[in-house]
Amino acid sequence: MTMVEAAERAGLLRPGSTIVEAPRQYGVGLAIVAARRRYRCVFVMPDKMAPEKVALLRAYGAEVVLCPTAVAPDHPDSYYSVTSRLAEEIPGAFHPDQYHNLENPAAHERTTGPEIWRQTAGRVSHFVAGIGNRRDHLRHRPLLEVAETRRQIVGADPEGSVYSGGSGRPYLVEGIGEDFWPSTYDPEVVDRVVMVSDTDSFLTARHLAVDEGILAGGSSARPSGRRCSSRPSCAATTSSSSSSRFGPGVPVQAVQRRVDGRSRFPEDEGAHCG
């Protein structure tokens, strides 16, 4: 909403305009805003995205273009390149460009951070979040200055993503991690980055549903308080995805074979998660 409103004020979005974007977790929200404001919406996404997520976006009226996942960011068929090309080719198109639009993290500095502070009554000592394409969820250092001596900001990152030292190789979890460095990401606001495997993410998502009644996606299950280097007195995290958007998800055994080769939960034979 913030990026759309800023574009409207700048005259970049007018009645009949087209929004062209490569969305991650915020695609549904952007599709809803576009529908309410009568903008055409074209989303470009990697082909690893779950069919249920694609169907949900199309249900809100968005046009979805799928591109191969396992190509370099500068490849002409990557979803980054295709997004830029469509934004140039479609008359009246606006590209929010969440990877470089500073309105993106600024919205969370103004809203998400204060909300966490209020809901924890200022007691939050640790904030743990999956690292996406921006610094939004991790840009709360000014809000935690009062707790400077006892707080820690931890980023959880997919195994293979560049944020935690990976090469950018493909991984199964959707919506977080990157294979390049967006200008909106600020490593200075993160105290620690932890690499987490696909197996841990999907198994945690399954157990959150079974044990806690929280239907989170793999990207929301990746952050974990047990990754904090010190015992949290009040740990906070956010969930930006739901398993309902991923259908049956990835079979646990397939994830185990492709990533770690074995399960921490032998009873999960044949189960699905994520």
Side-chain angles (χ1 to χ4, degrees), residues 22-27 45-46 48-50 53 69 79-80 98-99 129-134 136-137 156-158 161 163 171-179 198 202 217-220 222 240-241 245-246:
R24 302 289 291 263
Q25 300 290 14
Y26 89 121
M45 309 174 74
K48 73 174 183 178
M49 293 297 173
K53 179 182 289 186
T69 299
Y79 70 101
Y80 311 107
Q98 60 175 325
Y99 300 103
I131 305 180
N133 50 60
R134 50 203 185 276
D136 51 15
H137 286 156
D157 193 45
S161 168
Y163 297 125
Y171 41 85
L172 296 175
V173 168
E174 304 173 18
I176 60 173
E178 279 301 344
D179 51 6
D198 282 325
F202 288 119
S219 60
S220 294
R222 188 174 296 269
S240 57
S241 66
R245 298 180 186 174
F246 301 93

Side-chain angles (χ1 to χ4, degrees), residues 140-271:
H140 303 316
R141 186 182 297 273
L143 300 167
L144 301 178
E145 287 178 351
V146 174
E148 184 68 30
T149 60
R150 60 185 175 85
R151 68 97 184 90
Q152 183 180 123
I153 298 178
V154 182
D157 193 45
E159 193 173 56
S161 168
V162 298
Y163 297 125
S164 54
S167 63
R169 67 166 177 79
Y171 41 85
L172 296 175
V173 168
E174 304 173 18
I176 60 173
E178 279 301 344
D179 51 6
F180 75 106
W181 291 91
S183 61
T184 48
Y185 176 70
D186 183 1
E188 293 301 317
V189 304
V190 187
D191 295 296
R192 185 184 178 204
V193 177
V194 178
M195 183 184 293
V196 186
S197 71
D198 282 325
T199 295
D200 275 347
S201 298
F202 288 119
L203 290 175
T204 301
R206 180 174 187 270
H207 281 266
L208 278 176
V210 173
D211 298 335
E212 305 293 340
I214 299 173
L215 196 62
S219 60
S220 294
R222 188 174 296 269
S224 170
R226 70 177 183 275
R227 302 280 177 174
C228 298
S229 58
S230 58
R231 183 180 179 87
S233 58
C234 181
T237 188
T238 59
S239 176
S240 57
S241 66
S242 167
S243 286
S244 62
R245 298 180 186 174
F246 301 93
V250 181
V252 170
Q253 293 300 315
V255 176
Q256 293 157 5
R257 286 193 299 270
R258 292 179 62 178
V259 185
D260 291 337
R262 61 189 179 86
S263 173
R264 293 180 296 120
F265 305 105
E267 71 274 18
D268 284 334
E269 181 73 33

